[in-house]
């Protein structure tokens, strides 16, 4: 399955660069975004994060509609157990792809279609009030009278209907694939004002019951209409202790119930899975369903199913994702971390400082070495010449046969002059040699600074990898220091 899913990446890359999308006036920026989201969707799919993969793929198709994405959407819907949407995606893929779809791929998709269609049941809902809103598992899906049966994935569902000035009616049914079920819902007119219950829970996928009847699954976007009086609201989900709240509802008033779901310490092994984090070597805080969690070693045990995860890593933008924890297995979260604006600017400024220092050291080194080296060789040659002249004149002085005072008077002035020349050129040679060596060292230092100064791209990559060289320039009274960590 994963191999076939991944093959769509190459086809999509071609499609997003094709004239077909250009004719739909899809901008190059939109094509680039769609390609990036598609590739991220592939990664999330392979990691088992199907809901997150679905979000990326749906956005990729919305930004730049390419029929190849529909194949992969069908795969994700199938993994999430949504046979209806999987069937629709595969059908649309075959229609839009037409003759461009290879025979082998078409045969595979048709087999997938057959499997998913076998998992679809149909429900014809009838109510005694036309214009009633029909609900499936708490979500509004249609208005009566229905032109055709509703399609739902085989399994247990709560079918309901509501209408103004009427009591809502619900029925829980168990459906097998391929069956057609008829549901009659009678809505009773009410003469008194109704009350409402708004149910909130930080945990998604919690089955909500009101007075023992299933009313929907969190998150619930709307309110639950109930008669005035006392009601018992309960939340259930595998791996959690049941949460129960009693609430008094008044006429035309809304009561808010918060279901605080706590992990069941006696949960069965098949009701638990594990979340593993891939984060850089930096301080981080993990929130799961708006509750801070300890994650020693980057791992935490969670109940099976969907969870809303918020990851806050030092100096990075927070990342929020929805993950799907498998039973007795593990899901890995490897987020695309990005620096905060201030943290990134700090690193960009440091890199700019390194490059400035590198160029300054390098150019200064070139100047010093360029001037010092020729002067060194010239000074050395002049020193050698003056030294030879001094030695020759001294030897001539030693062979003088006249009176000593006369010989001294004849040679001393010239010897002193040559000795002064020799000392001068020796100083020139040593000074120029030191300057040349210092210039060479500055040139090497400049090259090193330029080499280690990170580019903007490497700075951005370091936000995720966490491996970044950090150099800081310290300026103190009478001193300058450069410290670093690698």
């Amino acid at each position: 399955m994963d191999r076939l899913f991944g093959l769509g990446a190459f086809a999509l890359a071609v499609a997003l660069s094709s004239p077909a999308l250009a004719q739909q006036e899809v901008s190059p920026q939109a094509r680039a975004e769609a390609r990036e989201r598609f590739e991220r969707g592939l990664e999330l799919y392979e990691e088992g994060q199907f809901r997150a993969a679905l979000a990326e793929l749906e956005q990729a198709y919305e930004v730049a509609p390419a029929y190849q994405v529909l194949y992969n959407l069908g795969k994700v819907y199938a993994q999430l157990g949504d046979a209806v949407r999987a069937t629709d995606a595969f059908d649309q893929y075959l229609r839009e792809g037409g003759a461009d779809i290879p025979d082998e791929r078409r045969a595979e998709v048709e087999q997938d279609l057959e499997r998913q269609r076998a998992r679809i049941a149909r429900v014809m809902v009838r109510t005694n009030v036309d214009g009633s809103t029909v609900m499936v598992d708490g979500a509004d899906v249609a208005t009566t009278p229905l032109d055709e049966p509703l399609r739902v994935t085989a399994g247990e569902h709560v079918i309901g209907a509501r209408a103004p000035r009427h009591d809502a009616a619900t029925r829980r049914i168990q459906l097998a694939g391929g069956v057609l079920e008829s549901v009659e819902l009678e809505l009773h007119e009410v003469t008194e004002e109704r009350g409402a219950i708004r149910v909130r829970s930080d945990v998604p996928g919690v089955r909500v019951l009101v007075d023992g009847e299933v009313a929907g699954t969190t998150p619930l976007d709307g309110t639950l209409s109930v008669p005035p009086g006392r009601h018992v609201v309960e939340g259930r989900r595998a791996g959690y202790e049941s949460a129960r709240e009693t609430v008094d509802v008044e006429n035309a008033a809304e009561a808010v119930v918060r279901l605080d779901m706590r992990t069941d310490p006696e949960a069965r092994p098949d009701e638990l899975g594990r979340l593993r984090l891939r984060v850089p070597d930096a301080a981080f805080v993990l929130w799961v369903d708006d509750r801070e969690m300890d994650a020693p070693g980057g791992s935490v045990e969670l109940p099976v199913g969907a969870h809303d995860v918020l990851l806050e890593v030092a100096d990075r933008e927070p990342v929020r994702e929805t993950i799907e924890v498998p039973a007795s297995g593990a899901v890995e979260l490897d987020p695309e971390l990005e620096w905060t604006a201030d943290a990134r600017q700090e690193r960009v400024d440091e890199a700019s400082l390194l490059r400035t220092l590198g160029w300054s050291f390098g150019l200064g080194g070139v100047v010093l070495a360029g001037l010092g080296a020729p002067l060194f060789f010239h000074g050395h040659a002049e020193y050698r010449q003056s030294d030879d002249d001094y030695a020759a004149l001294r030897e001539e002085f030693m062979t003088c046969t006249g009176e000593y005072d006369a010989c001294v008077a004849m040679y001393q002035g010239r010897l002193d002059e040559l000795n002064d020349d020799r000392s001068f050129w020796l100083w020139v040679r040593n000074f120029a040699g030191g300057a040349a060596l210092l210039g060479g060292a500055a040139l090497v230092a400049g090259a090193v600074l330029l080499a280690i100064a990170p580019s903007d791209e490497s700075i951005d990559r370091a936000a995720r990898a966490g491996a970044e060289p950090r150099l800081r320039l310290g300026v103190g009274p009478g001193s300058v220091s450069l410290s670093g960590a690698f």
Side-chain angles (χ1 to χ4, degrees):
M1 177 182 63
D2 288 344
R3 181 183 66 83
L4 292 174
F5 185 89
L7 286 176
F10 176 76
L12 179 66
V14 174
L16 293 181
S17 304
S18 68
L21 280 183
Q23 293 174 2
Q24 298 177 30
E25 296 183 355
V26 177
S27 68
Q29 293 83 359
R31 288 197 294 270
E33 179 187 349
R35 186 181 298 107
E36 180 181 350
R37 290 189 178 279
F38 181 85
E39 292 172 353
R40 189 179 303 141
L42 289 183
E43 294 176 0
L44 293 168
Y45 179 90
E46 293 169 356
E47 294 169 6
Q49 299 186 46
F50 301 120
R51 293 187 186 278
L54 177 63
E56 294 293 343
L57 292 173
E58 286 181 334
Q59 186 64 24
Y61 186 77
E62 181 178 343
V63 171
Y67 77 89
Q68 290 86 349
V69 183
L70 296 168
Y71 166 79
N72 299 284
L73 280 172
K75 288 288 188 181
V76 177
Y77 286 130
Q79 284 293 327
L80 291 173
D82 192 338
V84 174
R85 290 188 179 181
T87 298
D88 291 343
F90 286 139
D91 269 332
Q92 188 177 353
Y93 169 74
L94 293 177
R95 289 197 309 272
E96 294 187 8
D100 294 335
I101 300 176
D103 292 340
E104 182 179 355
R105 174 57 60 83
R106 179 176 291 276
E108 177 215 333
V109 173
E110 288 174 348
Q111 290 178 358
D112 285 336
L113 266 174
E114 185 177 348
R115 283 193 294 269
Q116 295 303 317
R117 283 170 177 160
R119 300 172 185 175
I120 294 178
R122 294 182 299 157
V123 183
M124 176 56 79
V125 181
R126 297 182 177 88
T127 67
N128 59 321
V129 179
D130 287 345
S132 300
T133 299
V134 179
M135 302 169 290
V136 176
D137 299 326
D140 298 345
V141 296
T143 302
T144 60
L146 300 183
D147 295 330
E148 58 184 19
L150 301 174
R151 296 181 303 149
V152 296
T153 303
E156 185 181 88
H157 297 279
V158 176
I159 309 298
R162 69 175 188 275
R165 298 182 300 279
H166 288 77
D167 275 330
T170 61
R171 182 179 300 175
R172 182 165 52 188
I173 58 176
Q174 189 79 25
L175 298 171
V179 304
L180 172 61
E181 184 83 8
S182 180
V183 175
E184 301 281 346
L185 296 174
E186 185 174 358
L187 280 68
H188 299 284
E189 187 175 3
V190 296
T191 58
E192 61 180 1
E193 293 290 340
R194 302 285 289 176
I197 299 176
R198 185 177 297 277
V199 180
R200 301 188 185 279
S201 176
D202 295 331
V203 179
V206 176
R207 177 180 290 183
V208 178
L209 296 88
V210 178
D211 300 328
E213 294 293 327
V214 177
T217 303
T218 61
L220 293 173
D221 296 329
T223 59
L224 305 176
S225 178
V226 295
R230 177 162 294 184
H231 299 276
V232 177
V233 181
E234 186 177 4
R236 298 176 185 174
R237 176 174 162 178
Y240 289 91
E241 296 178 334
S242 295
R244 181 189 295 265
E245 294 287 340
T246 301
V247 60
D248 292 319
V249 181
E250 299 180 356
N251 285 342
E254 178 182 301
V256 178
V257 173
R258 175 170 289 278
L259 296 176
D260 186 14
M261 306 298 295
R262 299 283 179 173
T263 304
D264 187 354
E266 299 180 359
R268 301 191 311 270
D270 62 347
E271 294 179 332
L272 300 174
R274 187 162 290 275
L275 167 64
R276 294 196 178 99
L277 303 174
R278 291 190 62 182
V279 294
D281 185 15
F284 70 88
V285 178
L286 174 67
W287 300 81
V288 179
D289 302 324
D290 286 338
R291 182 172 297 163
E292 186 174 351
M293 305 284 288
D294 292 329
S299 178
V300 61
E301 190 174 59
L302 296 172
V304 170
H307 295 276
D308 293 325
V309 174
L310 174 64
L311 182 63
E312 299 175 337
V313 183
D315 290 338
R316 279 82 167 173
E317 295 287 355
V319 174
R320 185 180 292 275
E321 291 191 16
T322 299
I323 61 167
E324 193 80 21
V325 175
S328 303
V331 60
E332 186 176 82
L333 179 59
D334 185 11
E336 295 282 350
L337 295 172
E338 297 179 355
W339 298 113
T340 62
D342 290 342
R344 187 179 187 278
Q345 190 59 50
E346 177 187 356
R347 285 155 178 80
V348 169
D349 290 344
E350 289 178 0
S352 178
L353 174 60
L354 288 177
R355 282 188 285 270
T356 300
L357 290 174
W359 283 112
S360 299
F361 274 78
L363 293 175
V366 169
V367 171
L368 284 175
L371 295 177
L375 187 58
F376 169 80
F377 289 113
H378 178 69
H380 181 67
E382 291 292 339
Y383 168 74
R384 292 292 302 272
Q385 181 63 48
S386 62
D387 189 56
D388 290 344
D389 292 344
Y390 178 82
L393 186 60
R394 183 176 178 81
E395 184 177 350
E396 183 180 339
F397 169 74
M398 296 301 294
T399 60
C400 180
T401 58
E403 292 290 335
Y404 178 76
D405 291 341
C407 290
V408 170
M410 181 184 302
Y411 289 99
Q412 189 63 53
R414 293 171 60 195
L415 285 171
D416 291 343
E417 183 180 349
L418 287 175
N419 191 46
D420 289 342
D421 286 347
R422 186 177 64 167
S423 298
F424 172 75
W425 289 115
L426 177 61
W427 179 85
V428 170
R429 184 191 71 175
N430 292 341
F431 177 80
L437 290 175
L438 182 60
L443 187 60
V444 171
V448 171
L449 291 173
L450 289 174
I452 65 175
S455 64
D456 289 354
E457 292 77 11
S458 62
I459 288 174
D460 292 336
R461 287 195 301 269
R464 180 174 182 179
E468 51 163 344
R470 299 297 305 277
L471 289 179
R472 294 186 179 277
L473 183 67
V475 180
S479 67
V480 177
S481 63
L482 192 65
S483 61
F486 298 85

